[in-house]
């Protein structure tokens, strides 16, 4: 019976009446971009803390490399996989010390070199991390990163932050635009003192010297002599591990500075 009162049906159906936390139109709007940044930081951080991941060894490299690929692809894949196993066995990823794990393999979570490094950790029963990114042509996580440590980001900036903030070392296998972008991100953080000291090793010296003319940067005064010492080369997985140790990687690390500003 209509008692003359207006219905509140329109109010109940209005987007403004939705709980803010349940309103995807609102959460995905321009005004909430900062909140989405915060959520992408906090979600991964919570899972990493639950697993006790205190530090990582980050491995970059091409998504296009295949285990049965042409040329040196097979070798690069094989060595990335072997390095993932070596680092996981020797670095502390499988050893929980006071509730923490150190030097856990972390990659971009996709195929190619990323898959190989995660697979190496998987081979020896160690956890490893996959920081995936949403792309126009959807990237799926590889099958070898630990499910609870497999993340997906919308923002490259937040993904890069998580890759950098726990890194005890960086190993860069051959790659293209994305790999170069990631490499120079870390080199810039080191050059400017925005990241703590960490060893950086480029795998396959011949490849990297053909792609980047490091000495030309020095000759033209674009980098300093010290900047040229920020990275080293190695040509086998075992040599990568040796170079990391010789350049400061500590297997059992001290507490990292939680206030480090990236």
């Amino acid at each position: 019976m209509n008692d003359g009162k207006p219905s509140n049906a329109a109010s109940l159906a209005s987007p403004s009446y939705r709980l803010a936390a349940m309103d995807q139109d609102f959460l995905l709007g321009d005004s909430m971009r900062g909140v989405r940044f915060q959520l992408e930081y906090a979600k991964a951080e919570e899972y990493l803390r639950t697993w006790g991941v205190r530090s990582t060894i980050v491995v970059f490299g091409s998504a296009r490399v295949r285990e049965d690929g042409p040329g040196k692809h097979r070798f690069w894949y094989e060595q990335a996989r072997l390095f993932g196993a070596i680092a996981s066995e020797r670095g502390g990823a499988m050893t929980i010390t006071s509730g923490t794990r150190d030097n856990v393999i972390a990659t971009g979570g996709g195929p190619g070199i990323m898959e190989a490094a995660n697979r190496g950790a998987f081979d020896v029963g160690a956890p490893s991390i996959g920081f995936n990114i949403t792309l126009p042509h959807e990237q799926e996580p590889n099958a070898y990163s630990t499910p609870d440590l497999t993340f997906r980001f919308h923002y490259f900036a937040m993904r890069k932050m998580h890759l950098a903030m726990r890194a005890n070392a960086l190993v860069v296998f051959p790659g293209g635009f994305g790999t170069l972008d990631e490499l120079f991100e870390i080199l810039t953080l080191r050059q400017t003192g925005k990241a703590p000291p960490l060893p950086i090793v480029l795998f396959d010296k011949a490849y990297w010297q053909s792609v980047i003319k490091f000495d030309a940067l020095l000759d033209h005064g674009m980098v300093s002599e010290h900047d040229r010492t920020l990275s080293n080369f190695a040509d086998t997985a075992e040599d990568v591990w040796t170079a990391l140790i010789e350049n400061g990687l500590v297997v059992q690390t001290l507490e990292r500075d939680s206030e480090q500003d990236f």
Side-chain angles (χ1 to χ4, degrees), residues 59-63 65 72 75-76 113 170-185 187 200-217 228 231-236 240:
V59 180
F60 292 146
S62 177
V65 169
K72 299 186 74 174
F75 175 69
W76 293 333
I113 293 297
L170 172 65
V171 180
V172 189
F173 282 78
F177 290 167
T179 302
L180 290 168
D181 174 55
E182 293 163 337
L183 167 60
F184 279 104
E185 176 89 10
L187 283 174
I200 300 171
V201 177
L202 309 183
F203 186 88
D204 194 332
K205 183 177 182 179
Y207 175 86
W208 287 110
Q209 287 190 328
S210 70
V211 171
I212 305 173
K213 303 301 183 184
F214 292 100
D215 290 337
L217 290 171
R228 281 290 287 112
S231 61
N232 299 273
F233 298 104
D235 290 312
T236 68
V240 171

Side-chain angles (χ1 to χ4, degrees), residues 17-169:
Y17 189 73
R18 297 172 192 160
L19 287 171
M22 305 296 290
D23 187 347
Q24 281 210 343
D25 292 332
F26 169 67
L27 290 175
L28 296 177
D30 287 346
S31 65
M32 288 294 102
R33 185 170 285 112
V35 173
R36 295 197 299 274
F37 262 74
Q38 183 177 1
L39 288 171
E40 289 208 339
Y41 169 77
K43 182 177 180 180
E45 182 72 10
E46 182 172 306
Y47 276 83
L48 291 164
R49 287 177 183 266
T50 297
W51 273 75
V53 178
R54 178 168 57 177
S55 63
T56 61
I57 294 177
V58 175
V59 180
F60 292 146
S62 177
R64 302 186 182 195
V65 169
R66 294 291 183 268
E67 185 176 13
D68 58 353
K72 299 186 74 174
H73 284 217
R74 298 183 188 190
F75 175 69
W76 293 333
Y77 186 101
E78 170 194 276
Q79 292 299 300
R81 180 179 177 181
L82 179 57
F83 175 74
I86 289 171
S88 296
E89 287 186 315
R90 303 178 192 175
M94 295 191 292
T95 302
I96 301 177
T97 305
S98 301
T100 60
R101 299 175 188 267
D102 283 309
N103 300 320
V104 177
I105 289 291
T107 78
I113 293 297
M114 297 173 280
E115 174 188 292
N118 287 129
R119 186 175 178 180
F122 180 88
D123 289 340
V124 296
S128 70
I129 303 163
F131 291 116
N132 292 262
I133 187 76
T134 298
L135 299 173
H137 302 288
E138 193 66 37
Q139 173 187 310
E140 292 187 356
N142 67 62
Y144 300 104
S145 59
T146 301
D148 280 354
L149 298 174
T150 299
F151 306 103
R152 183 170 65 163
F153 294 87
H154 174 75
Y155 296 107
F156 271 105
M158 190 53 64
R159 180 196 193 211
K160 286 180 176 181
M161 182 173 175
H162 272 294
L163 281 162
M165 64 185 292
R166 283 180 166 84
N168 263 357

Side-chain angles (χ1 to χ4, degrees), residues 164 186 189-190 192-198 260-262:
I186 301 297
L189 290 172
R190 283 293 303 114
T192 58
K194 296 289 283 185
L198 77 162
Q260 182 68 43
D261 180 12
F262 286 100

